[in-house]
Amino acid sequence: MSLHEARRRLAAARSVAVLTGAGGSAESGIPTFRDAAGLWKGFRPEDVASPEAFARDPGFVWDWYEARRRTVAACEPNAGHRALADFERRCGSFTLITQNVDGLHTRAGSRRVLEIHGSLWRVRCTGCGETREELRTPLPEVPPRCACGALLRPGVVWFGETLDPALLAEAWRAAESADFFLVAGTSGQVQPAASLAEAALARGAAVVEINLEPTPLTPRATVALRGGCAALLPALLLPEAPTGMQDIPSKER
Ligand code: BJW
Ligand code: ZN
C-alpha cells in the first residue's frame, strides 16, 4: 500500500533528488558505520575519521582506509545502485547525493553523483594540496607520500571538516527544488547531510525513506518503507514494480 503511494508520488514528481548512506552499500558486503556489526566496532568514529587522529597516527588511520579500500575493491554494486543508475537515465531532473565514499554508484552506471563526503579512491597532499585519483590497493607505501615529500591523506571529509562548498551548494539546491526527495540507507545522525531532508520537507516535497530501522526522520517522512535498499530501490524506481512487493510494512502520513 505505501509502496504504491510512494510510486504514485514519484510518478507525479517533476524534480527528484536522492540521498544515500552506508545502508545502500550494505547488501554489497560493505559494513555500515553505526550498525551493531558496523565499521566503527571497537573504535569511536572520532578516533579514526578525524584530522586529530591522522595527526596523531597517520599509519593507523591509513591502515584502516586501506582495509576498507581492499573490501570495496572486492565488492560489486547491488540492485539498488543499479536501479538508481537506471532511473537517472529516464528522469528529466534528477540529482543523486551520496554520503558514501565507496564509488559504487559510479560503478553501477550513475553519471552524476555528488559525493559530499569524498571518495576512498582519491588522495590529497597535506603539504601542497594536490588531489589525485589513487586506485591502487595495496598502496606501495603506508602512509603514502606526495612527490613534494609531505604525507598524502584520504580524499574524504572527516569530522570537524567542512564539506566542499560547491558540492554542498549543489546538494542544497537539489534538495530545495525537489518535489520528491528519497532518503535511503542512512541513520541521519551526521550533519549537514541529515538536514537536506529537512530542507526538502520544509519546501513541501514528498520525502520517502528506505531503511531497515526507524530513524529520526521516520516520524516526519511522507512514506517510510521498511526494508533493504537492494529490494526496495528497484521496487520504487523501476517502471514495473515486481509483484509481491505491495505488502512492504511501512508507515504513511
Ligand atoms: C540499511 C541497510 C539496508 C543498513 N538497506 N538500510 C550540528 C549538530 C551537532 C554536530 C554537528 C552539527 N554540524 C556538524 C556537526 C559535527 C559533525 C556531526 O554531524 N556530528 C554528529 C555525529 C553529531 N559533522 C561534521 O563534522 C561535518 N562537517 C561539518 O559540519 O563542518 C562544519 C562544522 C564543523 C565543526 C563543527 C560544526 C560545523 C563532517 C561530517 C563528515 C562525516 N564523515 C564520515 C566519514 C567519511 C569518510 C569515511 O567514510 O571514512 O562520513 S562519518 C560517517 O557517517 C561517514 C558517513 O558518510 C556518515 C553517515 O553515516 P550513514 O551513511 O548514515 O551510516 P550509518 O552506519 O550511520 O547508518 C546506516 C543506516 O543504514 C542505518 O540507519 C541502518 O538501519 C541502515 N541500513 N543496512 C537499508 N540493507
Ligand atoms: Zn604534495
Side-chain angles (χ1 to χ4, degrees), residues 40-205:
W40 299 119
K41 219 175 159 204
F43 297 109
R44 290 191 317 131
E46 314 81 69
D47 290 344
V48 212
S50 74
E52 294 77 22
F54 189 72
R56 215 166 30 238
D57 192 346
F60 171 76
V61 172
W62 261 114
D63 282 344
W64 189 66
Y65 278 94
E66 268 292 86
R68 291 174 58 197
R69 287 157 56 92
R70 266 199 310 279
T71 300
V72 171
C75 291
E76 297 296 329
N78 65 53
H81 296 109
R82 290 194 296 273
L84 283 164
D86 179 85
F87 188 79
E88 179 183 18
R89 288 190 282 272
R90 289 182 285 111
C91 182
S93 172
F94 178 79
T95 303
L96 176 55
I97 307 159
T98 189
Q99 299 169 84
N100 299 343
V101 296
D102 54 35
L104 289 188
H105 284 303
T106 304
R107 276 170 59 193
S110 284
R111 291 183 192 139
R112 207 168 63 84
V113 187
L114 306 181
E115 293 180 314
I116 59 173
H117 289 167
S119 168
L120 284 177
W121 308 108
R122 267 198 307 277
V123 292
R124 185 165 84 245
C125 179
T126 58
C128 68
E130 192 183 289
T131 298
R132 65 173 166 82
E133 238 187 20
E134 177 54 82
L135 304 176
R136 289 173 296 177
T137 184
L139 291 164
E141 57 167 347
V142 174
R145 284 188 181 274
C146 178
C148 81
L151 280 176
L152 291 168
R153 57 161 283 175
V156 301
V157 182
W158 284 327
F159 284 111
E161 294 184 326
T162 50
L163 283 65
D164 179 304
L167 274 184
L168 186 59
E170 222 179 311
W172 276 116
R173 261 198 309 278
E176 288 176 342
S177 61
D179 42 30
F180 186 99
F181 192 79
L182 172 62
V183 182
T186 174
S187 62
Q189 291 188 31
V190 172
Q191 296 295 348
S195 298
L196 293 167
E198 303 299 331
L201 274 174
R203 294 292 179 113

